[in-house]
Amino acid sequence: MEAFYGILIPFLGTSLGAACVFFMKKTLSDTVQRSLTGFAAGVMVAASVWSLLIPAIEQSSNAGRLAFLSAFLGFWIGILFLLTLDHIIPHLHAKSGQVEGPKSRLQRTTMMVLAVTLHNIPEGMAVGVVYAGYLSGSAKITAAGALALSLGIAIQNFPEGAIISLPLRAEGMSKGRAFAGGVLSGVVEPIGAVLTILAASLIVPALPYLLSFAAGAMLYVVVEELIPEMSQGTHSNIGTVFFAVGFSLMMALDVALG
C-alpha cells in the first residue's frame, strides 16, 4: 500500500494544480510561467541525478570500472525513446504557435494536453522504477527516498497542472473541461509507474537500466522543452533562479529523506 499511495502523490499534485482554473480568472503571466517552468526543470534535473542515475551506478558497482555502462546505455535509450515520441505524437505547447510532430487534424486543445502528457511519461516511470527498487530490496533505495522523489515530482506537477488548465480555459473550454484536460495529462503518471514496477519485478537485473532510462527521458524533456520555455522573453534570468530553487529543493529532499 505504501507504494500505491506513493505513485498517486504526483498525480494528486497535477490535479490540484489543474483545479486552479476554478479560482483564477486569467492565465499566468509570462514571468510566473517562466518561474514555474524553471522550478520544474530544476526538480527534474536533481531527481535524475540523485534519485535515478546515482542509484543505477551504485547497483552496478560489482562491474568495477564498467559500473557506469548500464546507466550509460539506459540513459541513451531513454533519450531516444522521448525523441521518438516527440516525432510521432502531434503536440502543441501553450506558448508556441507551431505544432510539433506529424501533421494532424486534432484540435489545438487536444494537442496542448498531449504536450504535457509527453512531459509526464518519464516522471511516472521515474516514480515507478524507484518504488520498484524499494520493493525489490535489491537496490539501495529506502521508502523515504522513494517518497522524496514522489513529493518532488508532485511539487513541480502542481504548477504544470495550472499551466495546462488555464490556457485550455483561455482557448474557450469550460472550467470543468479545462480541469479535466489538466487531470487527464497527469493520468499517464500512475499508469506509467505501475507498468514500470511490473516490468522491474519481472526483470530485477534490468533495474539499473530502467532507473537511467527514466533519467534520460526526463533530461530530454528538460533540455528540449523546459529550458527553452523558461528562457523566452525579457528578464529570462528569473527562470534560471527558479531552476536553482527547484534543483536545491529536490537535492535536499533526496539527501535528507533518502
Side-chain angles (χ1 to χ4, degrees), residues 37 40-41 44-45 48 78-79 82-83 85-86 93 115-123 156 160 214-229:
T37 302
M44 291 173 72
V45 171
S48 297
I79 291 284
L82 257 291
L83 180 64
L85 290 184
D86 214 15
H93 297 285
V116 179
T117 302
L118 280 174
H119 286 194
N120 290 336
I121 289 173
E123 294 169 14
Q156 66 99 15
E160 276 194 356
M218 285 175 65
L219 289 177
Y220 177 90
V221 170
V222 170
V223 177
E224 169 70 12
E225 296 171 6
L226 299 187
I227 289 178
E229 286 179 16

CSV table of all heavy atoms in Angstrom, one decimal, residues 37 40-41 44-45 48 78-79 82-83 85-86 93 115-123 156 160 214-229:
chain,number,residue,atom,x,y,z
A,37,THR,N,8.2,27.0,-14.7
A,37,THR,CA,8.9,26.1,-15.6
A,37,THR,C,10.3,25.9,-15.2
A,37,THR,O,10.8,24.7,-15.3
A,37,THR,CB,8.9,26.7,-17.1
A,37,THR,OG1,7.5,26.9,-17.5
A,37,THR,CG2,9.5,25.7,-18.1
A,40,ALA,N,10.3,23.6,-12.2
A,40,ALA,CA,10.1,22.2,-12.7
A,40,ALA,C,11.4,21.6,-13.3
A,40,ALA,O,11.7,20.4,-13.0
A,40,ALA,CB,8.9,22.1,-13.7
A,41,ALA,N,12.1,22.3,-14.1
A,41,ALA,CA,13.3,21.8,-14.7
A,41,ALA,C,14.3,21.5,-13.7
A,41,ALA,O,15.0,20.5,-13.7
A,41,ALA,CB,13.8,22.9,-15.7
A,44,MET,N,13.5,18.3,-11.9
A,44,MET,CA,13.7,17.1,-12.7
A,44,MET,C,15.2,16.8,-12.9
A,44,MET,O,15.6,15.6,-12.9
A,44,MET,CB,13.0,17.3,-14.1
A,44,MET,CG,11.5,17.3,-14.0
A,44,MET,SD,10.7,17.8,-15.5
A,44,MET,CE,11.0,16.3,-16.5
A,45,VAL,N,16.0,17.8,-13.0
A,45,VAL,CA,17.5,17.5,-13.2
A,45,VAL,C,18.0,16.9,-11.9
A,45,VAL,O,18.8,15.9,-11.9
A,45,VAL,CB,18.2,18.8,-13.5
A,45,VAL,CG1,19.7,18.6,-13.4
A,45,VAL,CG2,17.8,19.3,-14.9
A,48,SER,N,16.9,13.4,-11.5
A,48,SER,CA,17.5,12.5,-12.5
A,48,SER,C,18.9,12.1,-12.0
A,48,SER,O,19.3,10.9,-12.2
A,48,SER,CB,17.7,13.2,-13.8
A,48,SER,OG,16.5,13.5,-14.4
A,78,GLY,N,16.6,6.0,-23.0
A,78,GLY,CA,15.6,7.0,-22.5
A,78,GLY,C,15.5,8.2,-23.4
A,78,GLY,O,14.4,8.7,-23.8
A,79,ILE,N,16.7,8.8,-23.8
A,79,ILE,CA,16.8,9.9,-24.6
A,79,ILE,C,16.1,9.6,-26.0
A,79,ILE,O,15.3,10.4,-26.5
A,79,ILE,CB,18.2,10.3,-24.9
A,79,ILE,CG1,18.8,10.9,-23.6
A,79,ILE,CG2,18.3,11.4,-26.0
A,79,ILE,CD1,18.4,12.3,-23.2
A,82,LEU,N,12.2,9.2,-25.9
A,82,LEU,CA,11.4,10.5,-25.9
A,82,LEU,C,11.6,11.2,-27.2
A,82,LEU,O,10.7,11.9,-27.7
A,82,LEU,CB,11.9,11.4,-24.7
A,82,LEU,CG,11.0,11.5,-23.5
A,82,LEU,CD1,9.7,12.2,-23.9
A,82,LEU,CD2,10.6,10.1,-23.0
A,83,LEU,N,12.8,11.1,-27.8
A,83,LEU,CA,13.0,11.7,-29.1
A,83,LEU,C,12.0,11.1,-30.1
A,83,LEU,O,11.4,11.9,-31.0
A,83,LEU,CB,14.4,11.5,-29.6
A,83,LEU,CG,14.8,12.0,-31.0
A,83,LEU,CD1,14.7,13.6,-31.0
A,83,LEU,CD2,16.2,11.6,-31.3
A,85,LEU,N,9.0,9.6,-29.4
A,85,LEU,CA,7.7,10.1,-29.1
A,85,LEU,C,7.5,11.5,-29.6
A,85,LEU,O,6.4,11.9,-30.1
A,85,LEU,CB,7.4,10.0,-27.6
A,85,LEU,CG,7.3,8.6,-27.0
A,85,LEU,CD1,7.0,8.8,-25.5
A,85,LEU,CD2,6.3,7.8,-27.7
A,86,ASP,N,8.5,12.4,-29.5
A,86,ASP,CA,8.4,13.8,-29.9
A,86,ASP,C,8.1,13.9,-31.4
A,86,ASP,O,7.5,14.9,-31.8
A,86,ASP,CB,9.7,14.5,-29.5
A,86,ASP,CG,9.6,15.9,-29.1
A,86,ASP,OD1,8.4,16.3,-28.8
A,86,ASP,OD2,10.5,16.6,-29.1
A,93,HIS,N,2.7,23.2,-27.6
A,93,HIS,CA,3.0,23.8,-26.3
A,93,HIS,C,2.2,25.1,-26.2
A,93,HIS,O,2.0,25.8,-27.2
A,93,HIS,CB,4.5,24.0,-26.1
A,93,HIS,CG,5.3,22.8,-26.1
A,93,HIS,ND1,5.3,21.9,-25.1
A,93,HIS,CD2,6.0,22.2,-27.1
A,93,HIS,CE1,6.1,20.9,-25.3
A,93,HIS,NE2,6.5,21.0,-26.6
A,115,ALA,N,1.0,17.6,-25.2
A,115,ALA,CA,2.3,18.1,-25.0
A,115,ALA,C,2.7,17.9,-23.5
A,115,ALA,O,3.8,17.5,-23.2
A,115,ALA,CB,2.4,19.6,-25.3
A,116,VAL,N,1.8,18.2,-22.6
A,116,VAL,CA,2.1,18.0,-21.2
A,116,VAL,C,2.1,16.5,-20.8
A,116,VAL,O,2.9,16.1,-20.0
A,116,VAL,CB,1.0,18.7,-20.3
A,116,VAL,CG1,1.3,18.5,-18.8
A,116,VAL,CG2,1.0,20.2,-20.6
A,117,THR,N,1.3,15.7,-21.5
A,117,THR,CA,1.3,14.2,-21.3
A,117,THR,C,2.7,13.7,-21.6
A,117,THR,O,3.2,12.8,-20.9
A,117,THR,CB,0.2,13.5,-22.1
A,117,THR,OG1,-1.0,14.1,-21.8
A,117,THR,CG2,0.2,12.0,-21.9
A,118,LEU,N,3.3,14.2,-22.7
A,118,LEU,CA,4.7,13.7,-23.0
A,118,LEU,C,5.7,14.0,-21.9
A,118,LEU,O,6.5,13.2,-21.6
A,118,LEU,CB,5.1,14.4,-24.3
A,118,LEU,CG,4.7,13.9,-25.6
A,118,LEU,CD1,5.1,14.8,-26.8
A,118,LEU,CD2,5.2,12.5,-25.8
A,119,HIS,N,5.5,15.2,-21.2
A,119,HIS,CA,6.3,15.5,-20.0
A,119,HIS,C,6.1,14.5,-18.9
A,119,HIS,O,7.1,14.1,-18.3
A,119,HIS,CB,5.9,16.9,-19.5
A,119,HIS,CG,6.3,18.0,-20.3
A,119,HIS,ND1,6.3,19.3,-19.8
A,119,HIS,CD2,6.8,18.1,-21.5
A,119,HIS,CE1,6.7,20.2,-20.7
A,119,HIS,NE2,7.0,19.4,-21.8
A,120,ASN,N,4.9,14.1,-18.7
A,120,ASN,CA,4.6,13.3,-17.6
A,120,ASN,C,4.9,11.8,-17.7
A,120,ASN,O,5.0,11.1,-16.7
A,120,ASN,CB,3.1,13.4,-17.3
A,120,ASN,CG,2.7,14.8,-16.7
A,120,ASN,OD1,3.6,15.5,-16.2
A,120,ASN,ND2,1.5,15.2,-16.9
A,121,ILE,N,5.1,11.3,-18.9
A,121,ILE,CA,5.5,9.9,-19.1
A,121,ILE,C,6.8,9.6,-18.4
A,121,ILE,O,6.8,8.6,-17.6
A,121,ILE,CB,5.6,9.6,-20.6
A,121,ILE,CG1,4.2,9.5,-21.3
A,121,ILE,CG2,6.3,8.2,-20.8
A,121,ILE,CD1,4.3,9.4,-22.8
A,122,PRO,N,7.9,10.3,-18.6
A,122,PRO,CA,9.1,9.9,-17.9
A,122,PRO,C,9.0,10.1,-16.4
A,122,PRO,O,9.7,9.4,-15.6
A,122,PRO,CB,10.2,10.8,-18.5
A,122,PRO,CG,9.4,12.0,-19.1
A,122,PRO,CD,8.2,11.4,-19.6
A,123,GLU,N,8.2,11.1,-15.9
A,123,GLU,CA,8.0,11.4,-14.5
A,123,GLU,C,7.4,10.2,-13.8
A,123,GLU,O,7.8,9.7,-12.8
A,123,GLU,CB,7.3,12.6,-14.3
A,123,GLU,CG,8.0,13.9,-14.7
A,123,GLU,CD,7.1,15.1,-14.7
A,123,GLU,OE1,6.0,15.1,-14.1
A,123,GLU,OE2,7.5,16.1,-15.3
A,156,GLN,N,6.5,19.9,-8.4
A,156,GLN,CA,6.6,20.5,-9.7
A,156,GLN,C,5.5,20.2,-10.6
A,156,GLN,O,5.2,20.9,-11.6
A,156,GLN,CB,8.0,20.1,-10.3
A,156,GLN,CG,8.1,18.7,-10.7
A,156,GLN,CD,7.8,18.4,-12.2
A,156,GLN,OE1,7.8,19.4,-13.0
A,156,GLN,NE2,7.6,17.2,-12.5
A,160,GLU,N,2.5,22.7,-13.2
A,160,GLU,CA,2.3,22.1,-14.5
A,160,GLU,C,0.8,21.9,-14.8
A,160,GLU,O,0.3,22.2,-15.9
A,160,GLU,CB,3.0,20.8,-14.7
A,160,GLU,CG,4.5,20.9,-15.1
A,160,GLU,CD,5.1,19.6,-15.6
A,160,GLU,OE1,4.4,18.6,-15.5
A,160,GLU,OE2,6.2,19.6,-16.0
A,214,ALA,N,14.7,6.3,-17.2
A,214,ALA,CA,13.8,7.4,-16.7
A,214,ALA,C,14.6,8.7,-16.6
A,214,ALA,O,14.0,9.8,-16.9
A,214,ALA,CB,13.2,7.0,-15.4
A,215,ALA,N,15.8,8.6,-16.2
A,215,ALA,CA,16.7,9.8,-16.1
A,215,ALA,C,16.9,10.4,-17.5
A,215,ALA,O,16.8,11.7,-17.6
A,215,ALA,CB,18.0,9.5,-15.4
A,216,GLY,N,17.2,9.6,-18.4
A,216,GLY,CA,17.4,10.1,-19.8
A,216,GLY,C,16.2,10.8,-20.4
A,216,GLY,O,16.2,11.8,-21.0
A,217,ALA,N,15.0,10.1,-20.1
A,217,ALA,CA,13.8,10.6,-20.7
A,217,ALA,C,13.4,12.0,-20.0
A,217,ALA,O,13.0,12.9,-20.7
A,217,ALA,CB,12.7,9.6,-20.4
A,218,MET,N,13.7,12.1,-18.7
A,218,MET,CA,13.4,13.3,-18.0
A,218,MET,C,14.3,14.5,-18.5
A,218,MET,O,13.9,15.6,-18.7
A,218,MET,CB,13.5,13.1,-16.5
A,218,MET,CG,12.3,12.4,-15.9
A,218,MET,SD,12.5,12.0,-14.1
A,218,MET,CE,12.5,13.6,-13.4
A,219,LEU,N,15.6,14.2,-18.6
A,219,LEU,CA,16.5,15.2,-19.0
A,219,LEU,C,16.3,15.6,-20.5
A,219,LEU,O,16.5,16.8,-20.8
A,219,LEU,CB,18.0,14.7,-18.9
A,219,LEU,CG,18.4,14.6,-17.4
A,219,LEU,CD1,19.8,14.0,-17.3
A,219,LEU,CD2,18.4,15.9,-16.7
A,220,TYR,N,15.8,14.7,-21.3
A,220,TYR,CA,15.4,15.1,-22.7
A,220,TYR,C,14.3,16.2,-22.6
A,220,TYR,O,14.4,17.2,-23.3
A,220,TYR,CB,14.8,13.9,-23.5
A,220,TYR,CG,14.4,14.3,-24.8
A,220,TYR,CD1,15.2,14.3,-25.9
A,220,TYR,CD2,13.0,14.7,-25.1
A,220,TYR,CE1,14.8,14.6,-27.2
A,220,TYR,CE2,12.6,15.1,-26.3
A,220,TYR,CZ,13.5,15.0,-27.4
A,220,TYR,OH,13.0,15.4,-28.6
A,221,VAL,N,13.3,16.0,-21.8
A,221,VAL,CA,12.2,16.9,-21.6
A,221,VAL,C,12.7,18.3,-21.1
A,221,VAL,O,12.3,19.3,-21.6
A,221,VAL,CB,11.1,16.4,-20.7
A,221,VAL,CG1,10.1,17.5,-20.3
A,221,VAL,CG2,10.4,15.2,-21.3
A,222,VAL,N,13.7,18.2,-20.2
A,222,VAL,CA,14.2,19.5,-19.6
A,222,VAL,C,14.9,20.3,-20.7
A,222,VAL,O,14.7,21.5,-20.8
A,222,VAL,CB,15.2,19.2,-18.4
A,222,VAL,CG1,15.9,20.4,-18.0
A,222,VAL,CG2,14.4,18.6,-17.3
A,223,VAL,N,15.8,19.6,-21.4
A,223,VAL,CA,16.7,20.4,-22.4
A,223,VAL,C,15.9,20.7,-23.6
A,223,VAL,O,16.1,21.8,-24.2
A,223,VAL,CB,17.9,19.5,-22.7
A,223,VAL,CG1,18.8,20.2,-23.8
A,223,VAL,CG2,18.8,19.2,-21.5
A,224,GLU,N,15.0,19.9,-24.1
A,224,GLU,CA,14.3,20.1,-25.3
A,224,GLU,C,13.2,21.1,-25.2
A,224,GLU,O,12.9,21.9,-26.1
A,224,GLU,CB,13.7,18.8,-25.8
A,224,GLU,CG,12.7,18.9,-26.9
A,224,GLU,CD,13.3,19.3,-28.3
A,224,GLU,OE1,14.5,19.2,-28.4
A,224,GLU,OE2,12.5,19.6,-29.2
A,225,GLU,N,12.5,21.1,-24.0
A,225,GLU,CA,11.3,21.9,-23.8
A,225,GLU,C,11.3,22.9,-22.7
A,225,GLU,O,11.0,24.1,-22.9
A,225,GLU,CB,10.1,21.0,-23.8
A,225,GLU,CG,9.9,20.2,-25.0
A,225,GLU,CD,8.8,19.1,-24.9
A,225,GLU,OE1,8.1,19.1,-23.9
A,225,GLU,OE2,8.7,18.3,-25.8
A,226,LEU,N,11.7,22.5,-21.5
A,226,LEU,CA,11.6,23.3,-20.3
A,226,LEU,C,12.6,24.5,-20.3
A,226,LEU,O,12.2,25.6,-20.1
A,226,LEU,CB,11.7,22.5,-19.1
A,226,LEU,CG,10.6,21.4,-18.8
A,226,LEU,CD1,10.8,20.8,-17.5
A,226,LEU,CD2,9.2,22.0,-19.0
A,227,ILE,N,13.8,24.2,-20.6
A,227,ILE,CA,14.8,25.3,-20.6
A,227,ILE,C,14.5,26.3,-21.7
A,227,ILE,O,14.6,27.5,-21.4
A,227,ILE,CB,16.2,24.7,-20.8
A,227,ILE,CG1,16.6,23.9,-19.5
A,227,ILE,CG2,17.3,25.8,-21.1
A,227,ILE,CD1,18.0,23.3,-19.5
A,228,PRO,N,14.2,25.9,-22.9
A,228,PRO,CA,13.8,27.0,-23.9
A,228,PRO,C,12.6,27.8,-23.4
A,228,PRO,O,12.6,29.0,-23.6
A,228,PRO,CB,13.5,26.2,-25.2
A,228,PRO,CG,14.3,25.0,-25.0
A,228,PRO,CD,14.3,24.6,-23.6
A,229,GLU,N,11.6,27.2,-22.8
A,229,GLU,CA,10.4,27.9,-22.4
A,229,GLU,C,10.8,28.9,-21.3
A,229,GLU,O,10.3,30.0,-21.2
A,229,GLU,CB,9.3,26.9,-21.9
A,229,GLU,CG,8.7,26.2,-23.0
A,229,GLU,CD,7.6,25.2,-22.5
A,229,GLU,OE1,7.2,25.3,-21.4
A,229,GLU,OE2,7.2,24.3,-23.3
